[in-house]
Short mmCIF file of all heavy atoms in Angstrom, two decimals:
data_model
loop_
_atom_site.label_atom_id
_atom_site.label_comp_id
_atom_site.label_asym_id
_atom_site.label_seq_id
_atom_site.Cartn_x
_atom_site.Cartn_y
_atom_site.Cartn_z
N THR G 127 -10.92 -5.24 6.85
CA THR G 127 -11.14 -6.14 7.99
C THR G 127 -10.32 -5.69 9.20
O THR G 127 -10.80 -5.67 10.34
CB THR G 127 -10.76 -7.58 7.61
OG1 THR G 127 -11.54 -7.99 6.48
CG2 THR G 127 -11.00 -8.53 8.77
N GLY G 128 -9.07 -5.31 8.93
CA GLY G 128 -8.20 -4.87 10.02
C GLY G 128 -8.68 -3.58 10.66
O GLY G 128 -8.57 -3.41 11.88
N ALA G 129 -9.23 -2.67 9.86
CA ALA G 129 -9.75 -1.42 10.42
C ALA G 129 -10.91 -1.69 11.36
O ALA G 129 -11.03 -1.07 12.42
CB ALA G 129 -10.18 -0.49 9.28
N ALA G 130 -11.78 -2.64 11.00
CA ALA G 130 -12.89 -3.00 11.88
C ALA G 130 -12.37 -3.61 13.17
O ALA G 130 -12.90 -3.34 14.26
CB ALA G 130 -13.82 -3.97 11.17
N ARG G 131 -11.33 -4.43 13.06
CA ARG G 131 -10.74 -5.04 14.26
C ARG G 131 -10.14 -3.97 15.18
O ARG G 131 -10.35 -3.97 16.39
CB ARG G 131 -9.67 -6.05 13.85
CG ARG G 131 -9.03 -6.78 15.03
CD ARG G 131 -7.85 -7.62 14.62
NE ARG G 131 -6.71 -6.82 14.21
CZ ARG G 131 -6.25 -6.72 12.98
NH1 ARG G 131 -6.85 -7.36 11.99
NH2 ARG G 131 -5.20 -5.96 12.71
N VAL G 132 -9.40 -3.02 14.58
CA VAL G 132 -8.77 -1.97 15.37
C VAL G 132 -9.81 -1.05 16.00
O VAL G 132 -9.65 -0.58 17.13
CB VAL G 132 -7.79 -1.16 14.48
CG1 VAL G 132 -7.35 0.12 15.16
CG2 VAL G 132 -6.57 -2.01 14.13
N ALA G 133 -10.91 -0.81 15.29
CA ALA G 133 -11.98 0.02 15.86
C ALA G 133 -12.55 -0.61 17.12
O ALA G 133 -12.95 0.09 18.06
CB ALA G 133 -13.08 0.22 14.82
N ALA G 134 -12.58 -1.95 17.14
CA ALA G 134 -13.15 -2.65 18.30
C ALA G 134 -12.13 -2.89 19.40
O ALA G 134 -12.45 -2.77 20.59
CB ALA G 134 -13.73 -3.99 17.84
N GLU G 135 -10.89 -3.23 19.02
CA GLU G 135 -9.90 -3.67 19.99
C GLU G 135 -8.86 -2.61 20.34
O GLU G 135 -8.19 -2.71 21.37
CB GLU G 135 -9.17 -4.91 19.46
CG GLU G 135 -10.06 -6.12 19.23
CD GLU G 135 -9.28 -7.29 18.69
OE1 GLU G 135 -8.06 -7.15 18.45
OE2 GLU G 135 -9.89 -8.36 18.50
N GLY G 136 -8.67 -1.61 19.47
CA GLY G 136 -7.61 -0.65 19.67
C GLY G 136 -6.27 -1.19 19.19
O GLY G 136 -6.18 -2.24 18.55
N PHE G 137 -5.19 -0.48 19.55
CA PHE G 137 -3.86 -0.89 19.11
C PHE G 137 -2.82 -0.32 20.07
O PHE G 137 -3.09 0.64 20.80
CB PHE G 137 -3.59 -0.41 17.67
CG PHE G 137 -3.64 1.09 17.49
CD1 PHE G 137 -2.49 1.86 17.51
CD2 PHE G 137 -4.86 1.74 17.27
CE1 PHE G 137 -2.53 3.23 17.33
CE2 PHE G 137 -4.91 3.12 17.10
CZ PHE G 137 -3.74 3.87 17.13
N PRO G 138 -1.61 -0.88 20.09
CA PRO G 138 -0.58 -0.36 21.00
C PRO G 138 -0.18 1.06 20.61
O PRO G 138 0.03 1.36 19.43
CB PRO G 138 0.60 -1.33 20.82
CG PRO G 138 0.15 -2.38 19.89
CD PRO G 138 -1.16 -2.02 19.32
N ASN G 139 -0.04 1.91 21.59
CA ASN G 139 0.14 3.34 21.36
C ASN G 139 1.61 3.72 21.16
O ASN G 139 2.12 4.67 21.76
CB ASN G 139 -0.46 4.11 22.55
CG ASN G 139 -0.65 5.58 22.26
OD1 ASN G 139 -0.73 6.00 21.10
ND2 ASN G 139 -0.75 6.38 23.31
N PHE G 278 2.78 -6.38 17.75
CA PHE G 278 1.33 -6.27 17.87
C PHE G 278 0.75 -7.60 18.33
O PHE G 278 1.22 -8.67 17.92
CB PHE G 278 0.70 -5.89 16.52
CG PHE G 278 1.11 -4.54 16.02
CD1 PHE G 278 2.26 -4.39 15.26
CD2 PHE G 278 0.35 -3.42 16.30
CE1 PHE G 278 2.64 -3.13 14.79
CE2 PHE G 278 0.72 -2.17 15.85
CZ PHE G 278 1.87 -2.03 15.09
N GLY G 279 -0.25 -7.51 19.17
CA GLY G 279 -0.93 -8.71 19.64
C GLY G 279 -2.11 -8.31 20.51
O GLY G 279 -2.29 -7.14 20.85
N PRO G 280 -2.92 -9.28 20.89
CA PRO G 280 -4.08 -8.96 21.72
C PRO G 280 -3.65 -8.54 23.12
O PRO G 280 -2.75 -9.15 23.71
CB PRO G 280 -4.86 -10.28 21.75
CG PRO G 280 -3.82 -11.33 21.49
CD PRO G 280 -2.83 -10.72 20.57
N PRO G 281 -4.29 -7.51 23.69
CA PRO G 281 -3.87 -7.03 25.01
C PRO G 281 -4.60 -7.77 26.13
O PRO G 281 -5.72 -8.24 25.97
CB PRO G 281 -4.28 -5.57 24.99
CG PRO G 281 -5.53 -5.58 24.16
CD PRO G 281 -5.32 -6.65 23.10
N SER G 282 -3.95 -7.86 27.26
CA SER G 282 -4.64 -8.30 28.47
C SER G 282 -5.48 -7.13 28.97
O SER G 282 -5.26 -5.98 28.59
CB SER G 282 -3.63 -8.70 29.54
OG SER G 282 -2.87 -7.56 29.91
N LEU G 285 -3.20 -4.45 30.39
CA LEU G 285 -2.44 -3.67 29.42
C LEU G 285 -3.35 -2.65 28.73
O LEU G 285 -2.93 -1.52 28.45
CB LEU G 285 -1.79 -4.59 28.37
CG LEU G 285 -0.87 -3.91 27.36
CD1 LEU G 285 0.25 -3.15 28.04
CD2 LEU G 285 -0.30 -4.95 26.38
N ARG G 286 -4.58 -3.03 28.50
CA ARG G 286 -5.52 -2.11 27.86
C ARG G 286 -5.74 -0.86 28.71
O ARG G 286 -5.98 0.23 28.18
CB ARG G 286 -6.86 -2.81 27.61
CG ARG G 286 -7.83 -2.05 26.74
CD ARG G 286 -9.15 -2.79 26.66
NE ARG G 286 -9.04 -4.03 25.95
CZ ARG G 286 -9.13 -4.14 24.62
NH1 ARG G 286 -9.33 -3.06 23.89
NH2 ARG G 286 -9.04 -5.31 24.03
N GLU G 287 -5.61 -0.98 30.01
CA GLU G 287 -5.83 0.15 30.93
C GLU G 287 -4.54 0.77 31.43
O GLU G 287 -4.57 1.75 32.18
CB GLU G 287 -6.65 -0.33 32.13
CG GLU G 287 -8.02 -0.91 31.78
CD GLU G 287 -8.91 0.10 31.08
OE1 GLU G 287 -8.84 1.30 31.44
OE2 GLU G 287 -9.67 -0.30 30.18
N ALA G 339 -0.84 3.10 27.30
CA ALA G 339 -0.22 2.01 26.54
C ALA G 339 -1.07 1.60 25.34
O ALA G 339 -0.53 1.13 24.33
CB ALA G 339 0.01 0.81 27.44
N TRP G 340 -2.36 1.76 25.46
CA TRP G 340 -3.28 1.27 24.42
C TRP G 340 -4.22 2.40 24.02
O TRP G 340 -4.60 3.22 24.86
CB TRP G 340 -4.09 0.10 24.97
CG TRP G 340 -4.48 -0.90 23.93
CD1 TRP G 340 -5.69 -1.01 23.30
CD2 TRP G 340 -3.65 -1.94 23.41
NE1 TRP G 340 -5.66 -2.06 22.41
CE2 TRP G 340 -4.42 -2.65 22.45
CE3 TRP G 340 -2.34 -2.33 23.63
CZ2 TRP G 340 -3.91 -3.72 21.73
CZ3 TRP G 340 -1.83 -3.40 22.93
CH2 TRP G 340 -2.60 -4.09 22.00
N VAL G 341 -4.58 2.46 22.77
CA VAL G 341 -5.46 3.51 22.30
C VAL G 341 -6.53 2.91 21.39
O VAL G 341 -6.25 1.99 20.61
CB VAL G 341 -4.67 4.62 21.56
CG1 VAL G 341 -3.98 4.08 20.32
CG2 VAL G 341 -5.56 5.79 21.20
N THR G 342 -7.74 3.41 21.52
CA THR G 342 -8.85 2.97 20.66
C THR G 342 -9.36 4.17 19.88
O THR G 342 -9.71 5.19 20.48
CB THR G 342 -9.99 2.37 21.50
OG1 THR G 342 -9.49 1.27 22.25
CG2 THR G 342 -11.13 1.89 20.60
N PRO G 343 -9.38 4.09 18.56
CA PRO G 343 -9.85 5.23 17.77
C PRO G 343 -11.34 5.44 17.96
O PRO G 343 -12.08 4.51 18.29
CB PRO G 343 -9.53 4.82 16.33
CG PRO G 343 -9.53 3.32 16.36
CD PRO G 343 -9.01 2.94 17.72
N LEU G 346 -14.30 5.53 13.67
CA LEU G 346 -13.52 5.02 12.53
C LEU G 346 -14.48 4.48 11.47
O LEU G 346 -15.28 3.57 11.73
CB LEU G 346 -12.56 3.92 12.99
CG LEU G 346 -11.44 3.53 12.02
CD1 LEU G 346 -10.32 2.81 12.75
CD2 LEU G 346 -11.93 2.67 10.86
N ALA G 381 -1.27 -1.39 12.34
CA ALA G 381 -2.04 -2.41 13.05
C ALA G 381 -3.15 -2.99 12.17
O ALA G 381 -3.39 -4.20 12.16
CB ALA G 381 -2.65 -1.82 14.33
#
Side-chain angles (χ1 to χ4, degrees):
T127 302
R131 182 188 70 250
V132 167
E135 298 179 358
F137 61 96
N139 195 21
F278 296 87
S282 64
L285 185 57
R286 190 185 292 274
E287 301 300 324
W340 211 260
V341 62
T342 302
L346 195 161

